[in-house]
């Protein structure tokens, strides 16, 4: 019951905040209550470019983020890389022992340790159509973090990130997801798998010109001019997904 009360009380308070300052105060307070000195809410893209439409707040020691981004804006931080493939909060120690780390990633962990960031929990928060995000709770201590604290961090992290989206103004933005018929979606799916129009016609058992009509319709719906742009937008908006063996149509 205490866990539910803590989550409910935090939700009630943070849903009433209207400024970034209020938001930060509440997030820092809940982090301390959970036993963490440091907290970071961010869209990963904010590590290499600043924008009022990207979430970026942290009270980590200065310089902690100097090596998290590689060439071309590629996120090489091991924790954020793992968060891309997770849907629930995780303890860093639990996932790092199961992960083969590169030389650069080991260097990042070493740098974090020198800054006093030694243990923590990351909560992935990925909203279709938005940059990948996360909430990270960290501590200098290496003491045991209980499963209860991981569950609490997961719940309050998601609530906090949603509040941050509302405060900076992206939660209420109208989403553009065109109405896509099944055949058009099928064509986009197979384009994403490298198929030509003739390949798609053979797979679906329809005429080549019919496929070309569907593809032209997809270009128009997504306001794009190349097949690469079409696939990018369809993935970004969740019209198709990354699963190679489960076509997103029935």
């Amino acid at each position: 019951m205490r866990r539910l009360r803590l989550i409910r009380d935090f939700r009630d308070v943070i849903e009433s905040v209207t400024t970034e300052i209020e938001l930060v105060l509440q997030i820092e307070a809940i982090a301390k209550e959970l036993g963490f000195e440091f907290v970071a809410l961010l869209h990963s893209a904010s590590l290499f470019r600043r924008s009022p439409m990207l979430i970026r707040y942290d009270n980590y020691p200065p310089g902690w983020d100097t090596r998290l981004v590689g060439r071309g804006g590629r996120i090489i931080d091991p924790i954020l890389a793992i968060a891309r493939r997770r849907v629930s909060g995780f303890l860093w120690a639990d996932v790092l022992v199961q992960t083969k780390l590169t030389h650069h990633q080991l260097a990042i962990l070493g740098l974090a340790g020198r800054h006093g960031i030694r243990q923590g929990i990351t909560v992935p928060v990925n909203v279709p159509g938005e940059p990948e995000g996360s909430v990270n709770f960290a501590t200098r201590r290496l003491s045991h973090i209980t499963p209860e604290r991981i569950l609490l961090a997961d719940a309050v992290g998601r609530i906090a990130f949603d509040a941050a989206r509302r405060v900076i103004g992206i939660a209420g933005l109208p989403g553009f997801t065109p109405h896509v018929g099944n055949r058009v979606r099928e064509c986009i799916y197979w384009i994403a798998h490298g198929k030509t129009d003739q390949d798609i016609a053979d797979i679906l058992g329809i005429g080549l010109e019919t496929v070309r009509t569907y593809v032209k319709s997809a270009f128009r719906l997504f306001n794009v001019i190349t097949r690469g742009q079409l696939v990018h937008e369809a993935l970004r908006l969740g019209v198709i997904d990354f699963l190679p063996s489960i076509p997103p149509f029935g």
Side-chain angles (χ1 to χ4, degrees):
M1 290 300 294
R2 179 184 176 276
R3 288 184 295 178
L4 291 176
R5 189 179 307 112
L6 184 148
I7 295 169
R8 185 173 58 246
D9 290 349
F10 177 69
R11 181 202 61 198
D12 292 344
V13 170
I14 207 158
E15 283 184 350
S16 67
V17 306
T18 57
T19 68
E20 290 188 43
I21 293 176
E22 292 176 301
L23 180 72
V24 166
L25 290 174
Q26 294 302 326
I27 290 170
E28 288 186 348
I30 194 67
K32 289 179 181 177
E33 187 161 356
L34 292 176
F36 298 99
E37 305 97 289
F38 307 121
V39 62
L41 285 82
L42 56 87
H43 283 122
S44 295
S46 69
L47 292 169
F48 54 88
R49 65 183 175 92
R50 295 284 185 166
S51 167
M53 303 307 288
L54 292 175
I55 295 171
R56 174 71 186 272
Y57 164 73
D58 72 82
N59 64 352
Y60 281 24
W64 72 277
D65 58 349
T66 55
R67 300 179 66 174
L68 303 187
V69 181
R71 292 180 180 178
R74 183 171 61 93
I75 304 297
I76 57 176
D77 174 73
I79 298 301
L80 295 180
I82 291 168
R84 288 195 184 110
R85 310 299 297 175
R86 302 288 293 247
V87 296
S88 60
F90 58 87
L91 184 67
W92 298 350
D94 288 346
V95 297
L96 288 175
V97 297
Q98 305 171 25
T99 305
K100 185 176 181 179
L101 300 173
T102 67
H103 172 75
H104 291 298
Q105 290 175 327
L106 289 170
I108 288 170
L109 294 177
L111 178 64
R114 290 192 293 274
H115 280 90
I117 304 169
R118 296 186 174 88
Q119 181 58 286
I121 297 169
T122 288
V123 182
V125 190
N126 299 313
V127 180
E130 295 180 16
E132 61 192 44
S134 63
V135 181
N136 306 271
F137 299 94
T139 178
R140 296 184 179 91
R141 298 181 294 274
L142 290 173
S143 55
H144 177 63
I145 295 177
T146 64
E148 178 184 47
R149 286 172 69 193
I150 298 173
L151 289 172
L152 287 171
D154 186 74
V156 302
R158 295 177 189 280
I159 294 169
F161 199 88
D162 207 35
R165 294 176 64 248
R166 173 177 55 80
V167 168
I168 71 170
I170 61 174
L173 292 178
F176 168 72
T177 304
H179 175 71
V180 180
N182 283 343
R183 279 303 196 194
V184 173
R185 184 178 286 106
E186 287 177 313
C187 289
I188 298 171
Y189 172 83
W190 289 116
I191 288 172
H193 286 72
K195 302 301 183 182
T196 66
D197 289 351
Q198 185 62 63
D199 292 334
I200 297 170
D202 294 341
I203 291 168
L204 300 182
I206 57 179
L208 176 59
E209 289 304 315
T210 302
V211 171
R212 287 173 175 167
T213 298
Y214 286 137
V215 173
K216 288 177 182 177
S217 175
F219 280 16
R220 185 174 62 255
L221 285 169
F222 289 91
N223 192 29
V224 298
I225 60 174
T226 71
R227 294 165 88 91
Q229 290 173 328
L230 176 62
V231 171
H232 176 273
E233 286 299 295
L235 285 169
R236 185 178 69 85
L237 295 171
V239 174
I240 61 173
D241 57 38
F242 290 100
L243 294 177
S245 60
I246 309 177
F249 41 81

